[in-house]
Amino acid sequence: MTKSENRNVVIISEKEFQSWKETLYLLSTEANRKNLDEYLDQLNGINLRNL
């Protein structure tokens, strides 16, 4: 017997699922992606050992 709509299943914790949803939301618009990229560039330029 074969199923025509055989689909894969992934099981993750609810916390991990919520994290994925938040990430998708944050990356959902070009403006958000641009702001996050700029923020990451700023963080990469900081020497955290001197803070």
Side-chain angles (χ1 to χ4, degrees):
M1 175 188 252
T2 61
K3 296 180 182 179
S4 61
E5 292 189 34
N6 188 10
R7 298 186 180 180
N8 296 328
V9 175
V10 176
I11 298 175
I12 59 174
S13 71
E14 182 178 3
K15 183 177 179 180
E16 183 72 15
F17 177 70
Q18 295 301 331
S19 176
W20 276 88
K21 282 179 38 178
E22 182 177 0
T23 299
L24 290 173
Y25 171 76
L26 292 173
L27 297 175
S28 65
T29 67
E30 182 65 32
N32 279 352
R33 288 190 298 274
K34 182 179 176 185
N35 287 335
L36 287 169
D37 282 341
E38 289 173 4
Y39 178 71
L40 289 173
D41 287 343
Q42 289 175 5
L43 281 177
N44 287 330
I46 294 173
N47 185 345
L48 297 176
R49 291 182 184 186
N50 292 332
L51 289 179

